[in-house]
Amino acid sequence: AQSVTQPDIHITVSEGASLELRCNYSYGATPYLFWYVQSPGQGLQLLLKYFSGDTLVQGIKGFEAEFKRSQSSFNLRKPSVHWSDAAEYFCAVALNSGGYQKVTFGTGTKLQVIP
Amino acid sequence: GAGVSQSPRYKVAKRGQDVALRCDPISGHVSLFWYQQALGQGPEFLTYFQNEAQLDKSGLPSDRFFAERPEGSVSTLKIQRTQQEDSAVYLCASSLAGGVGQPQHFGDGTRLSIL
């Protein structure tokens, strides 16, 4: 079964600083990988996804992520964080299960942005 | 509104009561998913519908949990004889189709508190 590990429960960065959120996955084949963001009291919004091809994927809101097969990682990055980026971020892996995607989420990383 | 709508947003119930949570997916979306998100955790898969057919209910934690989507649009998640451990946010997501390439669109969730 696939699994996702987000080793950082909580990260604090200064506004304008760069950001990297870590994600490691466990899955036998080439995974389908996602990053979602969740603001308090809201549902999840898809930031970006990786299925195949270029290992550096661009997403919304200036985020990008890099797939590294050798490290089983899919880390999320942003060059300059804005106060509005404060939220919880979830990495997820999808398994093609009988024609639909069964998604497994990590436990999340809560991002705090300080002025 | 064009998004996934869930109601109620908040539900408080006494232990032992039955509750029903509603999900209105995006019009025309074939696939519908329910997730349970405990405090401080990522969402966990409960069940999947393709139109009115419930194709996967492997994530339902017990036989007290029941989901239906009788006409292939609105879905209801019912929990009978609620227990304190059922307290969580219940998220609904829909996608145009079930394949791995299709993004899931999430509602804002129903926060269920069992006293």
Side-chain angles (χ1 to χ4, degrees):
Chain A
Q2 72 266 36
S3 66
V4 179
T5 302
Q6 294 182 248
D8 304 305
I9 297 173
H10 190 216
I11 283 185
T12 300
V13 299
S14 299
E15 191 169 14
S18 64
L19 171 70
E20 182 169 30
L21 302 182
R22 296 184 290 164
C23 172
N24 293 94
Y25 66 89
S26 171
Y27 183 53
T30 300
Y32 300 92
L33 295 162
F34 306 83
W35 275 100
Y36 285 86
V37 60
Q38 185 177 36
S39 298
Q42 305 289 314
L44 280 75
Q45 181 182 21
L46 180 66
L47 285 176
L48 47 79
K49 59 186 180 183
Y50 172 78
F51 292 158
S52 64
D54 193 348
T55 56
L56 184 64
V57 293
Q58 302 297 320
I60 62 171
K61 303 185 180 186
F63 286 92
E64 66 178 26
E66 186 171 13
F67 170 63
K68 293 186 178 180
R69 184 188 302 277
S70 61
Q71 299 177 19
S72 297
S73 70
F74 188 57
N75 293 350
L76 182 72
R77 301 194 295 246
K78 186 169 184 177
S80 177
V81 169
H82 188 262
W83 64 266
S84 61
D85 293 324
E88 189 151 23
Y89 292 80
F90 293 93
C91 182
V93 60
L95 169 69
N96 193 348
S97 175
Y100 73 95
Q101 61 174 346
K102 195 165 185 176
V103 180
T104 298
F105 289 88
T107 52
T109 298
K110 187 166 288 188
L111 174 66
Q112 181 181 10
V113 180
I114 56 177
Chain B
V4 176
S5 177
Q6 292 188 246
S7 60
R9 286 297 314 276
Y10 304 93
K11 177 69 177 177
V12 179
K14 293 182 179 179
R15 189 165 57 91
Q17 289 182 329
D18 298 348
V19 298
L21 312 179
R22 177 188 170 104
C23 173
D24 261 292
I26 294 172
S27 178
H29 278 197
V30 168
S31 297
L32 187 145
F33 304 82
W34 282 98
Y35 294 88
Q36 181 189 58
Q37 186 176 19
L39 190 63
Q41 300 295 314
E44 292 194 0
F45 172 84
L46 292 177
T47 188
Y48 165 67
F49 288 87
Q50 182 175 302
N51 295 307
E52 69 279 4
Q54 188 176 22
L55 299 187
D56 188 341
K57 53 182 181 179
S58 62
L60 296 177
S62 77
D63 59 6
R64 296 186 294 104
F65 286 71
F66 172 76
E68 61 183 4
R69 195 187 184 196
E71 297 179 359
S73 55
V74 171
S75 177
T76 303
L77 177 66
K78 297 179 180 178
I79 309 173
Q80 297 176 326
R81 304 180 304 282
T82 53
Q83 303 293 317
Q84 282 194 325
E85 62 263 28
D86 300 334
S87 296
V89 175
Y90 291 84
L91 294 168
C92 176
S94 70
S95 64
L96 193 56
V100 178
Q102 295 291 328
Q104 293 185 18
H105 300 266
F106 283 81
D108 288 340
T110 293
R111 182 177 295 277
L112 177 63
S113 298
I114 304 300
L115 305 179

